[in-house]
Amino acid sequence: MRATVSAHVHFMIDSVFLFFERLSGWCVSMLGQRAETVLFLLRYLIPAIGLAVLLRCLISLFREGSRPERWGRLVLSGDVTLPLTHWENTIGRGRSCDIRVDVPTVSRSHGALIRDSGGAWTVYDLSSRTGIEVDHRKVEGSMPVQPGQVITVGGLDMVFMPMSEDEERIQAESRRYRYQPVSQGFTLFLLTMLQFCFFLSFLLNPSEPADGRILFGFFGLTAVTWAAYLFTRAIRRRAFEAETLALLLTTAGFAVCATSAAYEMMRQILFLIAGVVLYFCVGAVLRSLRLVKKLRIPAAAAGLALLMVNVVFSEKVLGAKNWLSIGGFSFQPSEFVKIIFIFVGAATLDRLFTKKNLFLFVGFAAFCVLALVLISDFGTGLVFFVTYLIIAFLRSGSVGTVFLSVGGAVSAGLLAISVKPYIASRFAGWRHAWDFPYDSGYQQVRAMSAAAGGGLFGLGAGRGWLETVVAANTDLVFGVVCEEEGLVFGLTLILAVILFGVCAVAYAGRARSSFTVICSVSAAAMLIFQMTLNVLGSMDILPFTGVTFPFVSRGGSSLIACWGLLAFIKACDTRQNASFTVRLPKHRRNADADDDVRIYERGSETGND
Amino acid sequence: MTKIKRRSAVLLILILLLAMGMGIFLVRYFRNGRQWAAFSANRTAYTDGVLKHAQITDRNGEVLLTMEDGAYRYSSDALTRISTLHATGDRYGNIGTGANVVFREYLTGYDVVNGLYRSDRSGSVALSIDAELNRRAWQALNGRKGTVAVCDCDTGEILCMVSAPSFDPESPPDSVDVPEYEGVYINRFLSSAYTPGSIFKLVTAAAALEQLPGAGDRTYPCDGSWEIGNDAVTCMGVHGELSLRQALAVSCNCYFAQLAVDLGGETMEKQAAAMGLTEPVFIDGIPSARGRYVASAETLDTAWSGVGQGQDSVCPASMLRLMTAIANGGRAVELTLLRGGSGAEGGRLLPEKTAEILAELMHNDVVASYGEDLFPGVTAYAKSGTAEVGGGVAPHAWFVGFGRKDGRTLAFAVLVENGGYGSSAAGSVASDVMKAAFGG
């Protein structure tokens, strides 16, 4: 029975492939001489549309959106009101405090007022000189605080007035009304046009007969693109910039896969679906900080276990032992540990006060990097290490700690190089690739030559030769993109990844929790740094370490994990109804929404003073 | 939160590092892209290591070599093929300095906007050489080994460049390991260095003009040989008491040997270096062979070095460049094998005064020794050399110099291996080629 079903499926798939190949044949005969003209135009259309998508995402990210969220206020005597704009607020005299109380009796960093994802507030004393009281009872360490209670800081009384659920709903309505994003559907339409351009390029490719798998692959890509968007709309989320950028990169990745490994196109679609699903799963977890706290230890344990298994059982592929094969399906555990790494590394403000938490993370990071060095995956080890530095700095703010880490890592790195001849050889040819075009510089010089051969607009999708070089569709992917789609499109992809970072920094100030800031900034850092290593490594400006270009390099683990990381980047986007990872107030049918909006407007004006 | 927000700017450091790296990449991409694209593994430009579509012509547009889908097609005329082989290069890249290798970046059809897109739009390079001059030079060499080169002293274009032995690339010899084809893949003009013989007396003379006051009036006696210890520097004749002018005209060994000893080996070495004879000449980025002069503590060695014998060697290319410098008042022109040339200055090799005196002396050589009928209608300046190579074979014959006619100044360097007497063996070759070059 199963055999017949699978035979049916195969037959159907083959028919689909055949259909696309017939379509191609028909189009080519229809167009005749004009096919070359179409291809000529496509060379310019692909980078142009790519840039347009990028630009629309950029504008959308920076269009004046909704004002910062309010979570309550502290009312002082004399009608002075201090707004609470985050879930985590520090109180003190220091200039970087969220609630600044410039009174000599208040310590520089006095205390903190923190809301959890359930709406419960807690006040923390950060070993201040004069202490904190709630309703004139001294706070030892921390104490829950209820609406209407009086918090006394350095002798100053403040009435704690958090927003009620109703107020939160009204605020959400108002912010939603004010925040009108750039049409995400139209941007996605442009992206679909881009995918169609690639489809046409492969359909009309004069150097190779059209391949049904490739054509169907792009068809599937468009389907997944719109499915992800429609799902996002269905759950009442309107911002799709980061996802669009990721899909833009994924589209380039599909083009690379099509030119280098057409037989993998079907799998690539499955990987993309898995990635998008993982994206929503990680996002769902991030919605609740309570859940995050519960999951952190199990996640860390799972990460350690994955790496341990990796060290013991993995296979050696091209020098690095980072592949794990289970039942015919091979994957790179280290890619998934990236998600766990950031998940474990990020922390809410209350946990940042205790050094113990930081040390636990340091231990976890050290283990991860060590494990990766043991399996000779030097590049990924470096990516983890730099991400660790970013997280350590975000958590401690201490440059000293970071320098110490760098010193330690450099000596460890030198040790690794002296022990592993494979790593040393990669350094030996660095910056001298052209002196060794047939051994240590083999891949890089070919990548550079192909990239130059493509010029600004490329030779056309599917018409390059670099794909035949080892690891072209992973380590040398920038060369492949530059060769076939041109330098302009290659730079567009780099800018797309940089935009992730710009997103993270831009929204960090409006985030609810430090957890989400650390998540998004470190995930963006990880993607950017990994891309830096990939691109500059293949162009012989940095040592060639063989890491992947996020979303673009072929490979299931990498693609899926990158989509997982994308959820982190969305975590601090608090524009109204923008991000799936940010929870909305509980839904309520409200006939008088407009009145409520006006009430909120007035309320915020007084709050603004 | 405000703190964390500020710290998040650390991400900008990463972005900045990336931007710096990309900046370096882009500079290299736009500066070196042409070279990158011309890498022989680039399959858009090459089929099996052979350029897909390319053409090399001479300065008048005569097609010397066409590369089409992996095949080489040379000129239909065998004499042209043979005489321009070292300029165009061979199918297998054995001649490392051929235009098919050196100028391949211009032959790929690369441009910075389109890269190699449509590499069927053939890349074409017009060389500075004139195929007709090459044919004449090849015929003048008449089967002897050696090299003939002519260049324009104003533009630096090399108009004639022949290296012998050569072969017909359409029917290459089965084996080149026979005496007939000795060093056949070497472009003797560019990549070899020979004992200079008497042409090196120009260096000794220049050193004297610069270092010794009143050098022009300085006289030395010549009685057929000059004895140093048990050895002697011998001369071709018994010239008696000679001035510099007379000595150069008769190419007296005794005179220049004594002059070199008086100048000292160190001074001679410096002069040879200043005149660019001991460093490579770069022609379109390709370095020539370097000549050699080693200062010796032995008087005999220094004496012989002053007449261009013993340890001395020079590359024909650097000799040709020296001729352009003497013709141009001390400033050499940058030599090129591309039509058009740049006329860029190739460095000052001599002070203007010295260059003028040397030119006058060389003109006197032609008038007094070689005969002006060697270059009819041309104001000619020359020096011959007969370089003893030992081993009982005939000496190498050199003839270098330049000529002016109708506002053009052309320099030449001729070397005939084992050709015998310089002014007769090499001089007649130079005569033939210069007649043709000046519109014969």
Side-chain angles (χ1 to χ4, degrees):
Chain A
M1 185 62 200
R2 275 190 69 177
T4 33
V5 169
S6 116
H8 273 296
V9 169
H10 270 121
F11 176 75
M12 276 170 61
I13 291 177
D14 286 345
S15 322
V16 170
F17 291 166
L18 201 64
F19 164 74
F20 278 114
E21 275 157 29
R22 290 257 170 82
L23 178 71
S24 161
W26 182 76
C27 286
V28 170
S29 61
M30 268 287 289
L31 286 167
Q33 286 295 312
R34 277 165 294 173
E36 195 56 39
T37 317
V38 173
L39 284 168
F40 181 77
L41 290 176
L42 287 175
R43 283 179 72 229
Y44 301 103
L45 268 177
I46 287 176
I49 299 177
L51 272 175
V53 169
L54 188 81
L55 206 66
R56 281 186 65 85
C57 287
L58 182 74
I59 293 168
S60 180
L61 282 168
F62 281 93
R63 174 180 273 195
E64 190 46 50
S66 32
R67 66 184 68 192
E69 288 176 310
R70 291 277 167 79
W71 297 102
R73 54 192 192 274
L74 293 170
V75 182
L76 281 73
S77 57
D79 267 357
V80 178
T81 304
L82 300 172
L84 299 170
T85 50
H86 307 283
W87 281 6
E88 296 167 359
N89 306 279
T90 50
I91 307 169
R93 188 162 48 83
R95 213 179 299 169
S96 60
C97 285
D98 303 307
I99 302 163
R100 198 163 166 230
V101 188
D102 201 359
V103 173
T105 50
V106 175
S107 298
R108 198 172 285 276
S109 188
H110 197 104
L113 189 57
I114 296 177
R115 178 198 196 272
D116 74 1
S117 47
W121 289 82
T122 312
V123 68
Y124 291 79
D125 183 0
L126 302 181
S127 28
S128 61
R129 274 187 296 113
T130 49
I132 297 184
E133 291 169 3
V134 171
D135 278 353
H136 304 294
R137 274 188 301 131
K138 189 158 175 56
V139 174
E140 304 287 349
S142 67
M143 185 187 282
V145 54
Q146 304 302 324
Q149 285 190 316
V150 176
I151 301 171
T152 311
V153 176
L156 212 66
D157 286 348
M158 300 187 269
V159 183
F160 173 59
M161 304 281 282
M163 276 188 157
S164 67
E165 277 185 16
D166 274 346
E167 283 175 310
E168 281 180 20
R169 264 194 292 275
I170 294 162
Q171 153 165 280
E173 279 300 321
S174 154
R175 292 179 82 238
R176 202 163 81 83
Y177 171 75
R178 292 201 150 215
Y179 164 56
Q180 295 298 337
V182 174
S183 167
Q184 307 288 293
F186 184 68
T187 314
L188 219 56
F189 167 74
L190 284 179
L191 183 64
T192 306
M193 292 314 297
L194 181 71
Q195 290 163 352
F196 183 65
C197 284
F198 276 116
F199 176 87
L200 270 186
S201 292
F202 283 102
L203 187 81
L204 302 174
N205 187 356
S207 51
E208 275 169 43
D211 187 324
R213 295 170 298 190
I214 293 176
L215 303 177
F216 181 70
F218 278 100
F219 199 74
L221 172 65
T222 305
V224 177
T225 299
W226 284 96
Y229 180 63
L230 293 176
F231 180 70
T232 305
R233 291 308 298 245
I235 53 174
R236 296 192 294 143
R237 296 302 190 278
R238 299 180 294 170
F240 207 64
E241 300 98 348
E243 293 88 338
T244 306
L245 292 172
L247 285 165
L248 170 66
L249 291 161
T250 308
T251 302
F254 266 65
V256 169
C257 181
T259 186
S260 63
Y263 56 89
E264 286 278 356
M265 281 303 266
M266 292 304 103
R267 282 162 68 100
Q268 197 74 5
I269 292 182
L270 295 179
F271 292 145
L272 174 61
I273 293 171
V276 173
V277 169
L278 181 67
Y279 162 71
F280 284 112
C281 290
V282 174
V285 170
L286 294 176
R287 288 160 71 90
S288 161
L289 290 181
R290 279 181 184 167
L291 185 57
V292 162
K293 280 176 191 170
K294 264 186 227 148
L295 282 178
R296 186 178 288 124
I297 298 293
L304 294 183
L306 263 178
L307 282 177
M308 293 268 254
V309 170
N310 201 174
V311 171
V312 179
F313 295 108
S314 58
E315 290 166 46
K316 196 166 186 161
V317 175
L318 295 173
K321 250 176 67 167
N322 51 10
W323 288 92
L324 202 60
S325 199
I326 296 173
F329 180 76
S330 53
F331 72 110
Q332 283 183 292
S334 54
E335 293 293 333
F336 297 99
V337 178
K338 283 176 184 166
I339 298 172
I340 295 174
F341 189 80
I342 288 178
F343 190 75
V344 172
T348 45
L349 191 64
D350 52 314
R351 294 176 72 87
L352 296 189
F353 304 142
T354 48
K355 282 276 185 290
K356 194 187 99 196
N357 288 311
L358 181 61
F359 291 140
L360 282 176
F361 173 60
V362 171
F364 178 70
F367 179 88
C368 288
V369 175
L370 190 71
L372 289 165
V373 170
L374 273 178
I375 58 174
S376 297
D377 194 348
F378 183 72
T380 311
L382 198 59
V383 170
F384 272 79
F385 178 66
V386 167
T387 312
Y388 159 74
L389 288 184
I390 298 281
I391 295 177
F393 179 74
L394 288 171
R395 291 181 63 143
S396 68
S398 150
V399 179
T401 319
V402 171
F403 271 118
L404 270 179
S405 318
V406 172
V410 167
S411 38
L414 289 178
L415 188 72
I417 289 169
S418 61
V419 175
K420 301 270 182 185
Y422 153 77
I423 296 172
S425 75
R426 293 221 151 178
F427 271 95
W430 174 39
R431 298 183 62 225
H432 298 284
W434 286 103
D435 299 337
F436 309 101
Y438 297 103
D439 39 74
S440 63
Y442 189 93
Q443 290 164 295
Q444 299 95 307
V445 295
R446 279 157 184 77
M448 284 187 256
S449 183
L456 301 186
F457 303 106
L459 303 175
R463 299 170 83 173
W465 56 272
L466 186 63
E467 22 123 353
T468 56
V469 175
V470 173
N473 57 21
T474 52
D475 303 355
L476 307 180
V477 76
F478 183 67
V480 174
V481 169
C482 283
E483 184 189 22
E484 302 205 340
E485 283 89 47
L487 180 70
V488 175
F489 192 68
L491 294 178
T492 306
L493 299 185
I494 289 177
L495 286 175
V497 176
I498 290 178
L499 263 192
F500 289 140
V502 176
C503 278
V505 175
Y507 293 130
R510 292 177 173 187
R512 293 178 177 177
S513 159
S514 55
F515 177 85
T516 56
V517 175
I518 295 174
C519 276
S520 60
V521 172
S522 54
M526 190 175 250
L527 293 177
I528 290 173
F529 184 69
Q530 191 175 316
M531 180 191 66
T532 306
L533 277 188
N534 175 282
V535 172
L536 299 184
S538 67
M539 295 293 136
D540 199 32
I541 289 166
L542 289 178
F544 188 53
T545 45
V547 294
T548 55
F549 190 126
F551 299 102
V552 183
S553 286
R554 196 181 66 76
S557 313
S558 169
L559 182 63
I560 297 170
C562 284
W563 276 95
L565 290 173
L566 190 68
F568 289 127
I569 291 170
K570 290 285 279 188
C572 69
D573 185 354
T574 58
R575 291 171 301 167
Q576 197 59 46
N577 287 46
S579 170
F580 168 61
T581 58
V582 175
R583 206 174 241 175
L584 297 175
K586 289 195 188 69
H587 202 56
R588 190 192 64 157
R589 291 264 156 249
N590 188 352
D592 305 321
D594 288 345
D595 289 344
D596 289 347
V597 169
R598 280 197 298 276
I599 292 166
Y600 172 74
E601 295 291 309
R602 271 203 305 280
S604 64
E605 271 155 30
T606 43
N608 251 345
D609 58 17
Chain B
M1 286 304 295
T2 313
K3 253 184 201 164
I4 293 248
K5 174 201 161 189
R6 285 189 191 161
R7 287 176 196 160
S8 70
V10 71
L11 193 55
L12 298 179
I13 295 177
L14 276 190
I15 296 177
L16 203 68
L17 285 176
L18 169 62
M20 273 166 54
M22 287 312 292
I24 295 173
F25 164 69
L26 288 177
V27 168
R28 287 190 191 168
Y29 179 93
F30 287 112
R31 194 192 284 163
N32 305 335
R34 180 177 287 281
Q35 279 157 265
W36 291 358
F39 180 48
S40 60
N42 192 320
R43 292 208 235 138
T44 313
Y46 300 86
T47 306
D48 300 331
V50 177
L51 284 160
K52 278 201 171 135
H53 307 278
Q55 199 172 58
I56 298 171
T57 70
D58 87 337
R59 64 183 298 108
N60 303 316
E62 183 178 336
V63 178
L64 303 178
L65 171 59
T66 310
M67 289 169 248
E68 196 71 45
D69 285 326
Y72 269 58
R73 212 169 57 240
Y74 286 89
S75 161
S76 56
D77 171 45
L79 179 57
T80 309
R81 293 197 292 270
I82 295 170
S83 65
T84 60
L85 178 66
H86 289 88
T88 55
D90 67 313
R91 163 76 173 82
Y92 303 99
N94 285 322
I95 299 168
T97 52
N100 63 339
V101 177
V102 175
F103 299 125
R104 63 181 188 189
E105 351 185 316
Y106 299 99
L107 291 168
T108 55
Y110 171 91
D111 74 75
V112 77
V113 174
N114 292 300
L116 296 172
Y117 181 70
R118 290 189 177 208
S119 49
D120 52 321
R121 171 188 56 189
S122 70
S124 180
V125 162
L127 297 180
S128 59
I129 64 163
D130 181 336
E132 178 56 24
L133 286 186
N134 264 34
R135 288 190 285 262
R136 295 282 277 268
W138 177 262
Q139 282 169 325
L141 276 174
N142 196 21
R144 292 169 295 181
K145 292 173 187 164
T147 176
V148 182
V150 176
C151 78
D152 187 307
C153 291
D154 297 314
T155 62
E157 292 169 283
I158 294 172
L159 305 174
C160 168
M161 181 177 75
V162 167
S163 176
S166 179
F167 60 86
D168 183 351
E170 296 285 9
S171 54
D174 297 330
S175 166
V176 294
D177 294 328
V178 290
E180 188 193 348
Y181 289 118
E182 184 206 350
V184 71
Y185 295 134
I186 294 171
N187 181 350
R188 281 164 160 72
F189 167 69
L190 194 64
S191 310
S192 59
Y194 293 91
T195 304
S198 299
I199 56 170
F200 202 76
K201 286 170 183 163
L202 293 170
V203 179
T204 315
L209 289 169
E210 281 172 44
Q211 303 299 330
L212 304 174
D217 305 324
R218 210 177 175 94
T219 63
Y220 289 101
C222 166
D223 51 13
S225 74
W226 180 48
E227 284 172 29
I228 303 165
N230 294 329
D231 272 301
V233 173
T234 52
C235 196
M236 307 295 279
V238 180
H239 299 114
E241 195 79 11
L242 291 166
S243 70
L244 178 60
R245 183 183 170 85
Q246 291 164 323
L248 197 72
V250 297
S251 203
C252 175
N253 282 354
C254 291
Y255 183 96
F256 284 97
Q258 292 173 77
L259 186 57
V261 170
D262 283 356
L263 285 162
E266 301 281 331
T267 310
M268 288 291 291
E269 187 175 336
K270 272 186 206 145
Q271 187 64 34
M275 289 164 85
L277 297 178
T278 53
E279 284 299 316
V281 178
F282 284 84
I283 300 178
D284 307 306
I286 303 301
S288 74
R290 68 173 72 207
R292 194 164 72 133
Y293 183 96
V294 183
S296 166
E298 298 291 323
T299 311
L300 184 71
D301 291 344
T302 309
W304 275 118
S305 78
V307 298
Q309 291 295 154
Q311 298 293 308
D312 303 2
S313 68
V314 296
C315 168
S318 58
M319 216 56 222
L320 185 68
R321 181 175 67 159
L322 177 59
M323 291 307 118
T324 68
I326 296 173
N328 291 341
R331 290 175 198 273
V333 68
E334 197 162 299
L335 298 178
T336 177
L337 274 164
L338 291 173
R339 184 173 67 189
S342 59
E345 196 196 313
R348 177 170 277 284
L349 304 183
L350 288 164
E352 195 172 354
K353 187 77 195 150
T354 312
E356 278 169 9
I357 297 173
L358 278 183
E360 198 277 318
L361 293 177
M362 287 168 74
H363 180 57
N364 181 57
D365 290 352
V366 176
V367 176
S369 293
Y370 315 132
E372 286 185 276
D373 55 348
L374 208 54
F375 304 105
V378 177
T379 315
Y381 309 74
K383 182 74 195 86
S384 65
T386 307
E388 298 293 343
V389 286
V393 292
H396 290 341
W398 278 95
F399 208 65
V400 298
F402 55 96
R404 299 188 204 275
K405 185 186 178 186
D406 305 333
R408 289 174 79 203
T409 307
L410 304 182
F412 59 87
V414 176
L415 171 94
V416 183
E417 284 182 25
N418 311 116
Y421 205 65
S423 56
S424 53
S428 63
V429 175
S431 169
D432 278 6
V433 177
M434 289 298 276
K435 275 179 205 159
F438 275 121

